[in-house]
Amino acid sequence: LIGLLLYVFGIIFKVQAERFPGIAGSFPTVLDSMWFLLVHGTFVDAIGDVLPNIRAADPLLLFLFMLFVFFSHLTLLNMLVGILCEVVTEVTKQEKEQSAIASFKENLLPMLEVHDVNDNGQIRKEEFELLMRNPDMYTILSNLGVNPEDFIAMQDILFEDKSVDVSAQEASEEGELGEEMEGTTATKTIMGPQAPKGFRELTFAEFMDTALRLRGGNQASVQDIADLREYMKMKVDVLLS
């Protein structure tokens, strides 16, 4: 907007200053006029030195010059106010976010400690199921913007012990490699021994981080896509079995 003001008023001053030899040297071209207005009008550099010359040449040009100063500074003021409002809004949003997270952790930690039967600072799947039956837990999650039902639906993924799947896959690969070394022709792929799928324990920090990731206003992350992939894989394995 300031560039547009400089261009329009630069043309006006270039055309009008040609009639007044006293100030014509300050506005020889449109670009020179724009530079003059930027330095002395927008930045108000030595504005007191140029005003008497413009006033002596033509009062109308003086009025136009003051009008340009008003509009340019009004534009700058609006821009600065907009930036300030954006910064204040962002800071306020972050402060509210941090306050909500701190309140969530402060209220959730005592409940996790109460439901931690073996006092090891971790939550088992059975303890999680008992925890999610507590109405206070529903209230805490709802206040944070987390749907408790979504949290419950993810329990199989949260507590899945992925090391069991890795061991089974390695055993399968070893079985296939041994079959190839013996030189036998297999009519089907020989799978290694499949260990039963187990469950791991979640630390309090992992539990809280997972709850924060499930907030409704969050954007999808790479970790969320990976969890979705694991969930779909688990559902497909259940259907195939």
Side-chain angles (χ1 to χ4, degrees):
L1 186 56
I2 293 180
L4 180 61
L5 287 174
L6 288 171
Y7 182 71
V8 172
F9 279 88
I11 295 175
I12 294 175
F13 274 85
K14 165 63 174 64
V15 174
Q16 297 296 325
E18 293 177 350
R19 301 185 291 113
F20 307 100
I23 61 174
S26 300
F27 307 97
T29 64
V30 175
L31 290 178
D32 291 331
S33 299
M34 293 174 62
W35 175 253
F36 184 92
L37 294 173
L38 177 65
V39 174
H40 300 289
T42 304
F43 298 152
V44 292
D45 181 36
I47 188 174
D49 297 336
V50 301
L51 285 179
N53 297 332
I54 299 177
R55 180 182 180 184
D58 185 12
L60 179 59
L61 287 179
L62 177 63
F63 173 76
L64 291 175
F65 184 81
M66 297 303 295
L67 189 64
F68 170 79
V69 173
F70 173 76
F71 281 126
S72 62
H73 283 79
L74 181 63
T75 302
L76 286 176
L77 182 62
N78 289 335
M79 181 181 66
L80 294 176
V81 170
I83 295 175
L84 182 61
C85 291
E86 184 178 355
V87 171
V88 171
T89 302
E90 187 65 24
V91 172
T92 303
K93 181 180 178 181
Q94 293 180 359
E95 290 293 335
K96 289 183 178 180
E97 181 83 3
Q98 294 176 359
S99 177
I101 293 176
S103 177
F104 166 73
K105 292 182 177 181
E106 182 179 356
N107 295 329
L108 181 60
L109 185 58
M111 295 192 62
L112 294 177
E113 293 175 347
V114 169
H115 289 80
D116 184 13
V117 179
N118 51 3
D119 293 330
N120 63 346
Q122 296 179 335
I123 294 295
R124 295 178 299 174
K125 190 172 184 294
E126 295 79 7
E127 296 170 343
F128 174 81
E129 294 174 350
L130 181 63
L131 175 65
M132 295 307 298
R133 297 194 187 103
N134 193 326
D136 293 337
M137 188 64 186
Y138 269 67
T139 303
I140 294 175
L141 292 176
S142 299
N143 292 336
L144 187 66
V146 178
N147 188 347
E149 299 299 332
D150 295 340
F151 208 1
I152 296 175
M154 290 188 61
Q155 60 179 319
D156 291 337
I157 299 177
L158 295 177
F159 294 94
E160 180 184 1
D161 189 1
K162 297 181 176 60
S163 61
V164 174
D165 294 337
V166 173
S167 300
Q169 182 178 0
E170 292 178 351
S172 175
E173 293 177 353
E174 291 177 358
E176 294 177 0
L177 181 60
E179 184 69 21
E180 292 177 358
M181 293 179 62
E182 293 175 0
T184 60
T185 303
T187 59
K188 62 179 180 178
T189 304
I190 301 177
M191 302 298 294
Q194 297 290 334
K197 184 175 294 187
F199 296 97
R200 68 186 184 97
E201 297 182 350
L202 285 180
T203 63
F204 290 172
E206 290 175 335
F207 186 91
M208 293 181 182
D209 291 340
T210 302
L212 292 175
R213 282 174 44 210
L214 291 177
R215 301 179 68 182
N218 292 345
Q219 295 182 351
S221 63
V222 176
Q223 183 63 39
D224 296 328
I225 301 301
D227 290 341
L228 177 62
R229 177 180 177 274
E230 292 294 330
Y231 178 79
M232 296 301 296
K233 179 177 178 295
M234 181 185 65
K235 289 299 184 181
V236 170
D237 292 341
V238 172
L239 292 176
L240 293 179
S241 61

